[in-house]
């Protein structure tokens, strides 16, 4: 299978607004925007817009100086990317409706410093307040605010949620994220492709296998490296195992949040068994460090294959019982149906991906749209539901566990012989770049990697599915009671660390 | 409803989970005795994620699954710092999380102890060279103990608590 093909287009003028509008009309959606400081190459900054849809990816690139035209008004999904570019590169998106800082907090960062510029001299500003962050305010009689986080009441990652309410229903939710901004993209610069693997895996630890696959798609494409069939099979088995344990955990949390501890705990126990299986297969419960440039780091022998087979059969049996329980229980349905509805139009406007898109009727699944590794072999069809509520997202996870089980089952006893990794000495061509993508349990993971002239990373841009999906919660909660927020949040179960990076 | 009733009639944690390792129970019993002795029944922990990759939180959450069920050993993760004896820190301390971390710490009544989980809070982990990371924790707070690992497995965290109790008993 070839690496994903990207149709490249060069935008001559600075004005991409009309074209972006037309693209959206033709069934395309924004996959992401990546900026890079290429002044050492051509004295300009490069901005690349990636649009997916209709089974192909289009790249539109434009060279800019200190500002560029914002496309947020015609393409709301662009908003966050443009704010990010404004923060990290200091390029101004002209006409952007909201240029508040995103990851570089005015509470501790001097806004004249843009760490992703190549001439940023690593100066770390003194820890003091440089400005204020202004939240949106809903005004009117009887309106009050509820502030939650960043530190939450439980074992959860940090994020700040600000609700405006009149009585019980939510009038507005504003999310402030990036508390966990670790500057991973910058740390990757100057590292060679293998060294960066450790950082890539730790963008979002619970999805590390799928995210790393996307990264490897990009760098192996830069290196013209073809991994063996056996390595591809093993990568897919691991990717689907990760999907299964993620989904089992996600469904367990739904039960937990509606006060049904018994099925929740039985699913948590199942998750634990899946993680112990991971450990027995590879030595690590999260499968850290099992993938490498050119292949995988461990082999599957017949006893391991048997163990996987037993486990996926057990998962299927337990999940079937759990599914029957959900659809037959009016108290469960009562909490899940019509809660946290994200309608199809909103999902499309925000360029959602993964479960969140498929639960709202959008057939977006990177394994099918832009097949990688050996996913074209399975003849997968997107699993779709229309209602866009907590129920749809829960039911979809259950249905997709069966799909993953089937994929693994098909591969287990047909593993091709051969090496698990190929040695390589290829050095990347200077400034060659490539994109990679994969479908994580949360949706499309997209990498854009450019090599430097010494073979290290010049620029690495990663777009986490959570980055695309977080804003949609602000729509999903509208009109719902605040007590349902945790449930709605869990039904999307997004990554804070992947979003904040 | 077969699903539910099947679960209901297995009334012991041990019979719901298969192949539970005895080492968890042995460590757990010892832990419970120590917690009883030093803290008088229970130890309350407030977690702050200061910038992790989220695997550490997944392992801490796993401590509540039926295989470990940490609360039966007298250790509870609590919502309010005001109730806590221990602040457990995960993650590399981002600039953005430094203030929330310190504020949470301030709100824990004395005597209080800092325990870190994972390599990140101790060394900064893979993120240590970043412009937006200002760890390790020991720069700001006196750390009673580091539980190492990337991430530390649930059983290692239980062992960590046990070691912490021993430390308190001998000091
Ligand atoms: S210690 Fe390892 S697992 Fe834990 S947050 Fe850091 S990188 Fe992730």
């Amino acid at each position: 299978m070839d690496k994903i093909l990207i149709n490249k287009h060069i935008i001559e003028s600075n004005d991409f607004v009309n074209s972006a509008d037309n693209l959206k009309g033709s069934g395309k959606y924004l996959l992401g925007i990546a900026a890079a400081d290429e002044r050492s190459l051509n004295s300009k900054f490069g901005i690349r817009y990636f649009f997916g849809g209709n089974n192909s990816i289009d790249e539109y690139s434009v060279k800019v100086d200190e500002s560029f035209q914002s496309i947020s008004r015609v393409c709301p999904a662009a908003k966050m990317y443009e704010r990010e570019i404004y923060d990290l590169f200091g390029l101004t998106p002209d006409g952007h409706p909201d240029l508040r800082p995103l990851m570089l907090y005015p509470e501790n960062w001097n806004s004249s410093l843009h760490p992703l510029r190549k001439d940023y001299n690593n100066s770390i500003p003194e820890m003091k307040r440089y400005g204020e962050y202004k939240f949106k305010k809903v005004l009117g009689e009887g309106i009050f605010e509820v502030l939650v986080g960043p530190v939450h009441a439980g074992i959860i990652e940090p994020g700040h949620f600000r609700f405006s309410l009149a009585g019980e229903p939510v009038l507005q939710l504003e999310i402030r994220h990036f508390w966990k901004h670790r500057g991973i993209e910058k740390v990757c610069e100057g590292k060679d492709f293998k060294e960066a693997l450790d950082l890539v895996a730790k963008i979002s630890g619970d999805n590390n296998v799928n995210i790393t696959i996307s990264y490897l798609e990009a760098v192996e494409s830069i290196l013209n490296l073809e991994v063996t069939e056996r390595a591809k099979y093993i990568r897919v088995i691991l990717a689907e195992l990760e999907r299964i344990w993620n989904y089992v955990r996600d469904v367990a949390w739904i039960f937990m949040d509606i006060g049904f501890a018994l099925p929740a705990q039985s699913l948590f126990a199942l998750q634990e068994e899946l993680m112990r299986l991971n450990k027995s297969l590879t030595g690590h419960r999260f499968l850290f460090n099992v993938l490498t440039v050119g292949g995988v780091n461990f082999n599957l022998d017949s006893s391991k294959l048997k163990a996987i087979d037993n486990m996926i059969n057990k998962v299927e049996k337990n999940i079937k019982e759990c599914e029957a329980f959900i659809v037959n229980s009016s108290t469960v349905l009562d909490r899940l149906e019509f809660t946290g509805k994200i309608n199809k139009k909103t999902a499309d406007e925000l360029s959602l991906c993964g479960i969140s898109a498929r639960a709202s009727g959008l057939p977006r699944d990177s394994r099918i749209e832009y097949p990688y590794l050996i996913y074209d072999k399975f003849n997968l069809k997107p699993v779709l539901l229309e209602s866009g509520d907590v129920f749809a997202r829960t039911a979809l996870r259950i249905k997709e566990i069966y799909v993953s089980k089937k994929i693994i089952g098909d591969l287990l006893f047909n593993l091709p012989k051969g090496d698990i990794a190929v040695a390589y000495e290829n050095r990347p061509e200077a400034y060659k770049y490539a994109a990679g993508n994969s479908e994580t349990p949360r949706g499309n993971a997209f990498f854009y990697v450019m090599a430097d002239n010494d073979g290290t990373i010049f620029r690495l841009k990663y777009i986490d599915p959570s980055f695309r999906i977080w804003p949609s919660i602000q729509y999903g909660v509208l009109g719902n009671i605040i007590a349902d927020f945790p449930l709605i949040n869990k039904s999307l179960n997004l990554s804070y660390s992947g979003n904040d990076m | 409803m077969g699903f539910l009733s099947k679960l209901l009639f297995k009334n012991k944690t041990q019979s719901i989970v298969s192949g539970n390792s005895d080492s968890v129970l042995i460590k757990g019993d010892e832990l419970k005795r120590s917690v009883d002795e030093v803290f008088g029944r229970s130890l309350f922990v407030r977690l702050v994620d200061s910038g992790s990759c989220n695997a550490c939180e997944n392992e801490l959450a796993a401590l509540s699954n039926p295989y470990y069920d940490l609360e039966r050993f007298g250790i509870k993760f609590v919502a309010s710092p005001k109730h806590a004896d221990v602040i457990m820190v995960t993650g590399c301390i981002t600039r953005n999380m430094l203030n929330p971390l310190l504020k949470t710490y301030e709100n824990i009544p004395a005597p209080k102890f800092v325990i870190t989980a994972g390599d990140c809070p101790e060394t900064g982990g893979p993120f240590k060279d970043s412009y937006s990371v200002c760890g390790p924790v020991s720069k700001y707070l006196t750390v009673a103990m580091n539980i190492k690992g990337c991430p530390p497995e649930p059983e290692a965290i239980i062992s960590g608590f046990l070691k912490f109790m021993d430390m308190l008993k001998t000091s």
Side-chain angles (χ1 to χ4, degrees), chain B residues 53-118:
Chain B
C53 76
N54 85 15
C56 276
E57 286 68 48
N58 267 285
E59 291 298 50
L60 290 168
L63 286 170
S64 313
N65 78 35
Y67 277 90
Y68 306 102
D69 191 8
L70 190 66
E71 283 190 24
R72 68 185 150 153
F73 307 135
I75 295 183
K76 190 174 161 60
F77 284 91
V78 291
S80 170
K82 304 263 188 216
H83 301 160
D85 308 298
V86 161
I87 181 169
M88 178 168 261
V89 184
T90 57
C92 58
I93 320 225
T94 60
R95 289 174 71 90
N96 296 348
M97 274 309 288
L98 178 62
N99 198 24
L101 169 70
L102 297 180
K103 272 194 176 160
T104 309
Y105 178 78
E106 272 164 30
N107 276 286
I108 298 177
K112 51 188 162 186
F113 305 93
V114 181
I115 299 181
T116 67

Side-chain angles (χ1 to χ4, degrees), chain A residues 244-317:
Chain A
I244 291 178
W245 85 253
N246 268 249
Y247 283 174
V248 167
R249 173 199 62 188
D250 295 351
V251 176
W253 275 114
I254 296 287
F255 279 115
M256 205 63 190
D257 273 17
I258 58 173
F260 247 118
L262 203 52
Q265 290 300 350
S266 98
L267 291 173
F268 282 132
L270 189 61
Q271 179 204 336
E272 176 68 22
E273 286 161 31
L274 283 158
M275 305 204 64
R276 288 183 180 192
L277 172 72
N278 287 348
K279 166 124 184 174
S280 73
L281 296 175
T282 68
H284 199 282
R285 285 162 59 91
F286 290 79
L287 305 170
F288 278 175
N289 306 325
V290 296
L291 305 182
T292 186
V293 181
V296 295
N297 280 330
F298 83 105
N299 216 335
L300 287 172
D301 58 25
S302 58
S303 71
K304 287 179 175 175
L305 293 171
K306 189 86 201 94
I308 300 175
D309 193 41
N310 289 341
M311 180 53 86
I312 58 175
N313 285 320
K314 178 173 185 186
V315 169
E316 185 179 52
K317 190 170 146 277

